[in-house]
């Protein structure tokens, strides 16, 4: 089956990356390029394979229990999942190309590209998991690789961030597992498709559902358990920030969607209404705390981390509607914000800047010494605040439409909070535009830009514009 | 299929990305290319305006079928009239810019943003549904912000650009909610579909929608209290002020209300709100214009005031009057900015106190005078006819509004001629030359339009153009005009020095002037609000961001307990 095929190719690619890296003595200066090429090739192959089978996922949920496969468990991929897999593969490929020339000559280059491919493979598995334990399995896979990436630089601060991240995510897994156990005791099944049985389980049903969502919510960085994310972003190199922020958070948020999805036909039930109250409150707080927190940052990467928290809030808001439109909005937000956020992260690392290099003071005037970077920073900021002609505009429109379609005062209020939060985000994104793209600093010299630094963000932004101009291209596949 | 209705906006939109590429080949090519595109667009607009003879038609292309959104142009009296107006005016201003911006750096950036703006503005006017209109609404906002910040070496310009973007986005947020509420309530946002749905009771919460639309319109059309961005927007180059911040984009709010008039008409409270916002803005804008010393800020406050008059007209149910005054204001205000740009270049300052005696610039003087005469509504200038239509409608429907508009007219006459006298009267200044032909040409053409353009307003009968020449309305308007100009003449020509001295020594006058120069404190209040959000609330949000594992663990535990409490209280 093509789905497990993708994961197998990626795991094989991970092993090859490590093996190629053992020949470092002979490869010399071309070592990073060679290992990176392995990752880029394997990701490209997977993307091609996935696109070739795209129509299959569109025609209905693909459900399979492969008999002969290294990963024989239950998989379900529907049109929403397909779009998220596309996002993960596209962002993964962009990061691989970008990293192939930006990762320094460190000892663990092989491991870096191996983890990159494993994280993508596990995210694909997580998105297509058909039961609660498969979700857990791949989620752990994603997390473990992510711990490795956060501590990649082996500085004290990276190790501390990784440790905090590990503690929070592991606690989240535990809470999730508890929810799964309760679910099993309530309905005797862990299949996602059988979750509607929780409806008749009273408080136990609600407790199981909320525990699973809270557990996942820790790693999706939702309020009040989002604090690990800015620390983790802050200590990782730009590329892992890009990868981590989007692939991990969004895959985990999509796992929340998978738990919610079977309950959509029962949106009026007590169970769903009980869960909605909690989710709406958390969504509103998450966006607010994320955006307000972002305003206080002087480091662009840390600011992006808080902004990611806010965007998780937007997605959770759409998710909390328990409607098909809401789920479509989540998938569409994941695609649109995923590609733009990854692009923005790459820009902050353009020229091989480390975390300190992403301080606003250091980036100041960059756009005047390199006009291309100025245009790219401005475009990314416009895209992040949902301006046309970028695809994010349609994603935010769809999210608000999902909220307003519910027709209750609570969701109208949430829609107001959401649009106001998007306005709030202008305050800090345009501070970046002002200081990075518009201000000119005397004596600031243009930094040499390798095409490989610019190509991936340009390609991602182009995809965003394409989605914005011809939204039906992507939207037509999920609605 | 009417190809003009599509080409009108698609040509400038498609041309915008070509400019930077041209700029790499030859810097001068940018401006000639923009002039050529502007000319082609103007011809198409003219052709459309001259050949359209109704009935209204909609043309549709598939765009986002899953959301029920199509690419749609609405060809009717309003869009044809305004489409032709925007296209012709843009052409005149692009030609003017070719002279005015000749020595500036960043030609490619300037002209590509201007063409993008022109395309989006025309797209906005021709749009047949609200989603499409909103997309263009946003794009004109982006162009406006980046053009205000065009001189990016100046901190004030950068700040003004960002402020414009932010403040208008507050209004846009309300508009977006309104658009989506309409979409979810009636399944379409096409203008004809909305008009039909408003006739059926209970299809949607039209009062809420109308209120949100009003807030959106207030942001773009700089109405109190969302007007604070427009005076600061004067930091941009003068052609930008003329094109975007006087004649076209700022009218978008009025245009929106005209298009959604059926929604406003569902509730008297909504119409009253529109009237109230309009009258308030008219007075606040006019009062601030009376005190401002920066010539461009005078014109900006005047725009706020004139747009307020259009809002008031809509609130009074006379939306056709608003459309005609929109065109008329666009003409005389763009002309005033063109002349102001010429004056500022010659005097090297925007402060009127440092000007005076510039009547040696004959073309510029005549142009500014024509603009001022049209602005105060002297017959037969274009402003007379369009203002008369609104005044006479007010007289029959709402006496209080009539009185307020009359007061606004006195103030208008006063500040317009205050500017004329301060800039051009006084000891003659020798040695200042006329602007180059590229600037003078459009100024002459626009002056002629300000004087005789009214003959064209009714030429094609695109909209029923009504003016009554009602004796009481006429008398009031003439009295306002004469009294305003007289006071101005007395203060700034006859007693020029005494006025200066009195204003400097009189304490109360000084305080009043200071309050008016500071825009009546709106900016300060917003500044406080902004600090509250970006500093205090932001710090509060970061309180839990201790970087301390103990805190994180405690919060996780708290979340878990809250959740269990919810389950217990939920008692399913």
């Amino acid at each position: 089956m093509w789905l497990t095929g993708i994961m197998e190719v990626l795991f094989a690619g991970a092993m090859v990356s490590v093996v190629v890296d053992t020949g470092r003595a002979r490869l010399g200066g071309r070592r990073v390029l060679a290992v990176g090429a392995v990752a880029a090739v394997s990701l490209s192959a997977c993307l091609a394979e996935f696109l070739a089978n795209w129509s299959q996922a569109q025609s209905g949920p693909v459900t399979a229990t492969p008999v002969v496969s290294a990963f024989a468990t239950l998989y379900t991929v529907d049109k929403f999942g397909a779009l998220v897999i596309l996002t993960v593969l596209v962002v993964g490929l962009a990061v691989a190309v970008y990293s192939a020339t930006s990762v320094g000559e460190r000892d663990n280059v092989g491991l870096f590209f191996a983890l990159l491919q494993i994280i993508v493979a596990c995210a694909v598995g997580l998105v297509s998991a058909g039961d609660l334990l498969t979700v857990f399995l791949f989620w752990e896979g994603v997390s473990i690789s992510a711990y490795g990436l956060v501590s990649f630089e082996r500085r004290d601060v990276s190790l501390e961030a990784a440790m905090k991240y590990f503690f929070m995510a592991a606690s989240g897994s535990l809470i999730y597992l508890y929810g799964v156990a309760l679910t099993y005791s309530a309905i005797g099944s862990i299949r996602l498709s059988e979750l509607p049985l929780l409806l008749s389980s009273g408080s136990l049903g609600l407790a199981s559902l909320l525990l699973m969502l809270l557990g996942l919510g820790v790693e999706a960085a939702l309020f009040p358990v989002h604090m690990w994310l800015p620390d983790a972003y802050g200590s990782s190199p730009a590329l892992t920030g890009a990868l981590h922020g989007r692939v991990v958070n969004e895959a985990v948020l999509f796992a929340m969607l998978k738990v919610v999805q079977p309950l959509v036909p029962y949106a009026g039930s007590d169970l769903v209404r009980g869960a909605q109250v909690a989710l709406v409150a958390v969504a509103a707080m998450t966006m607010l705390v994320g955006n307000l927190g972002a305003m206080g940052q002087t480091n662009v990467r840390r600011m992006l981390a808080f902004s990611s928290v806010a965007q998780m809030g937007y997605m959770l808001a759409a998710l909390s509607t328990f409607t098909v439109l809401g789920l479509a909005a989540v998938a569409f937000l994941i695609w649109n914000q995923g590609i733009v956020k990854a692009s923005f992260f790459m820009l902050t690392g353009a020229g091989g800047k480390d975390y300190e290099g992403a301080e606003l003071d250091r980036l100041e005037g960059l756009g005047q010494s390199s006009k291309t970077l100025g245009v790219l920073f401005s475009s990314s900021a416009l895209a992040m605040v949902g301006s046309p002609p970028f695809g994010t505009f349609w994603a935010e429109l769809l999210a608000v439409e999902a909220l307003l379609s519910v027709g209750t005062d609570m969701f109208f209020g949430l829609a107001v909070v959401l649009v106001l939060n998007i306005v709030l985000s202008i305050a800090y994104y345009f501070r970046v535009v002002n200081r990075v793209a518009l201000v000119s600093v005397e004596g600031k010299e243009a930094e040499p830009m390798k095409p490989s630094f610019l190509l991936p963000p340009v390609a991602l932004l182009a995809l965003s514009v394409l989605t914005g101009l011809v939204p039906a291209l992507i939207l037509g596949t999920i609605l | 299929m009417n190809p003009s209705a599509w080409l009108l906006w698609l040509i400038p939109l498609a041309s915008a990305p070509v400019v930077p590429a041209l700029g790499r080949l030859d810097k001068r090519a940018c401006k000639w290319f923009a002039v050529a595109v502007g000319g082609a667009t103007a011809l198409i607009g003219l052709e459309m305006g001259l050949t359209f003879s109704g009935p209204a038609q909609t043309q549709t292309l598939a765009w986002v079928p899953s959301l029920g959104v199509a690419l749609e142009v609405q060809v009717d009296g309003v869009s044809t009239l305004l489409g032709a107006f925007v296209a012709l005016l843009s052409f005149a201003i692009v030609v003017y810019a070719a002279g005015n911006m000749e020595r500036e750096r960043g030609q490619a950036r300037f002209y590509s943003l201007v063409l993008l703006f022109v395309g989006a503005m025309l797209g906005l006017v021709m749009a047949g549904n609200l989603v499409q209109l909103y997309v263009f609404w946003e794009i004109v906002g982006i162009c406006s912000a980046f053009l205000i910040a065009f001189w990016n070496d100046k901190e004030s310009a950068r700040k003004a650009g960002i402020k414009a973007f932010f403040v208008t986005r507050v209004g846009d947020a309300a508009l977006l909610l309104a658009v989506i509420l309409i979409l979810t309530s009636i399944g379409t946002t096409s203008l004809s579909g909305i008009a039909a749905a408003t006739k059926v009771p209970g299809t949607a919460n039209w009062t809420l929608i109308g209120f949100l639309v009003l807030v959106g319109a207030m942001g773009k059309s700089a109405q109190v209290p969302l007007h604070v961005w427009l005076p600061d927007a004067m930091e941009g180059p003068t052609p930008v002020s003329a094109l975007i911040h006087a004649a076209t984009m700022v009218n978008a709010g009025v245009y929106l209300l005209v298009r959604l008039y059926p929604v406003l008409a569902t509730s008297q409270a909504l119409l009253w709100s529109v009237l109230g916002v309009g009258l308030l803005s008219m007075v606040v804008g006019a009062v601030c214009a009376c005190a401002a010393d920066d010539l461009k800020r005078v014109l900006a406050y005047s725009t706020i005031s004139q747009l307020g008059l259009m809002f008031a007209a809509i609130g009074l149910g006379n939306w056709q009057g608003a459309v005609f005054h929109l065109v008329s204001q666009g003409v005389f205000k763009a002309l005033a900015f063109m002349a102001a740009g010429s004056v500022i270049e010659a005097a090297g300052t925007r402060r009127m106190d440092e000007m005076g005696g510039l009547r040696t610039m004959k073309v510029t003087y005549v142009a500014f005078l024509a603009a001022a005469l049209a602005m105060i509504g002297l017959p037969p200038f274009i402003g007379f006819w369009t203002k008369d239509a609104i005044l006479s409608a007010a007289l029959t429907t709402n006496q209080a509004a009539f009185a307020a508009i009359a007061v606004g007219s006195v103030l208008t006459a006063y500040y317009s001629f205050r500017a004329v006298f301060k800039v051009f009267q006084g000891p003659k200044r020798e040695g200042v030359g006329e602007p180059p032909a590229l600037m003078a040409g459009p100024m002459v053409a626009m002056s002629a339009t300000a004087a005789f353009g009214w003959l064209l307003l009714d030429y094609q009968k695109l909209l029923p153009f009504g003016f009554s020449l009602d004796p009481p309305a006429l008398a009031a308007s003439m009295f306002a005009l004469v009294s305003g100009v007289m006071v101005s003449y007395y203060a700034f020509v006859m007693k020029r020095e005494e006025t200066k001295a009195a204003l400097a020594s009189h304490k109360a006058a000084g305080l009043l002037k200071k309050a008016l120069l500071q825009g009546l404190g709106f900016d300060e209040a917003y500044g406080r609000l902004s600090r509250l959000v970006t500093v205090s609330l932001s710090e509060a949000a970061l309180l839990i961001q201790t970087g301390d594992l103990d805190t994180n663990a405690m919060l996780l535990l708290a979340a878990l307990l809250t959740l269990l409490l919810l389950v217990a209280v939920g008692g399913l």
Side-chain angles (χ1 to χ4, degrees), chain B residues 481-505:
Chain B
L481 188 160
V482 172
S483 55
V485 176
M486 293 289 285
V487 173
S488 216
Y489 185 74
Y490 179 79
F492 299 105
V493 181
M494 289 171 68
K495 306 273 178 190
R496 196 180 176 94
E497 296 307 318
E498 289 88 332
T499 310
K500 236 185 220 171
L503 277 176
S505 60

Side-chain angles (χ1 to χ4, degrees), chain B residues 57 87 90 107 160 175 236 290 354 383 391 408 417 463 519:
Chain B
Q57 46 173 308
S90 306
Q107 298 267 320
L175 178 60
C290 291
E354 295 169 12
L391 261 176
F417 271 80
L463 274 183

Side-chain angles (χ1 to χ4, degrees), chain A residues 160 163-165 167-168 171-172 175 178 202-204 206-207 210-211 214 218 223-231 270-271 274-275 277-278 288-289 291-297 302 306 325 368 371-372 378 382 385-389 393-394 396-398 400-402 404-405 412 415-416 419-420 422-427 430-431 433-434 437-440 468-472 475-476 479, chain B residues 24 63-69 71 105 109 131-132 134-139 142 145-146 149-155 157-159 161-162 165-167 169-174 176-184 208 212 530 532-542 544-564 566-568 570-572:
Chain A
E160 186 190 330
M163 202 269 287
K164 278 191 266 187
Y165 172 28
F167 176 82
M168 292 299 281
S171 311
I175 295 171
Y178 185 38
S203 296
L204 187 58
L206 184 61
L210 289 180
L211 283 170
L214 173 63
V218 175
F223 176 84
V225 281
H226 61 278
M227 297 80 61
W228 62 269
L229 184 73
D231 292 342
D270 288 345
L271 174 74
V277 173
L288 213 54
V289 166
N291 280 325
L292 288 173
M295 285 175 189
Q297 305 308 320
R302 202 166 159 86
F306 277 99
L325 199 60
Q368 288 306 308
K371 295 271 186 261
T372 316
S378 304
L382 282 171
V385 300
S387 293
F393 164 70
W394 294 100
E396 284 165 9
L397 184 137
L398 191 64
V400 177
E401 189 185 352
L404 292 180
S405 303
F412 178 75
V416 173
V419 292
L420 287 181
I422 295 172
V423 175
L424 276 186
S425 67
I426 295 173
F430 269 68
R431 193 176 61 191
V433 172
N434 181 18
L438 297 178
V439 172
S440 36
L469 293 179
V470 199
L475 206 52
L479 266 182
Chain B
R24 279 175 190 252
W63 194 18
V64 204
S66 46
L67 291 181
V69 175
L71 266 185
R105 282 189 305 133
R109 176 162 53 111
V131 174
Q132 190 182 335
Y134 184 85
V135 167
F136 289 125
W137 178 278
E138 285 291 323
I139 295 176
I142 296 168
F146 279 93
F150 178 73
W151 285 316
N152 54 314
D153 287 338
K154 274 166 67 185
E155 193 187 357
R158 295 194 305 268
K159 280 198 166 153
I162 292 171
F165 190 71
F166 189 86
V167 176
R169 268 309 271 277
V170 172
D172 297 356
L176 184 65
L177 280 177
V179 172
I180 300 173
L181 267 180
I182 294 175
L183 187 63
T184 54
L208 175 64
L212 292 168
S530 136
L532 174 77
V533 173
T534 56
V535 180
S536 310
L537 283 180
S538 172
E539 278 170 5
L542 290 170
I544 50 173
Q545 192 72 35
T546 55
D548 191 358
L549 196 50
D550 296 354
T551 322
N552 296 1
M554 288 300 285
L555 280 165
L556 179 58
L557 206 61
L560 192 60
L561 287 174
T562 314
L563 183 154
L564 292 176
L566 184 78
V567 173
L572 292 180

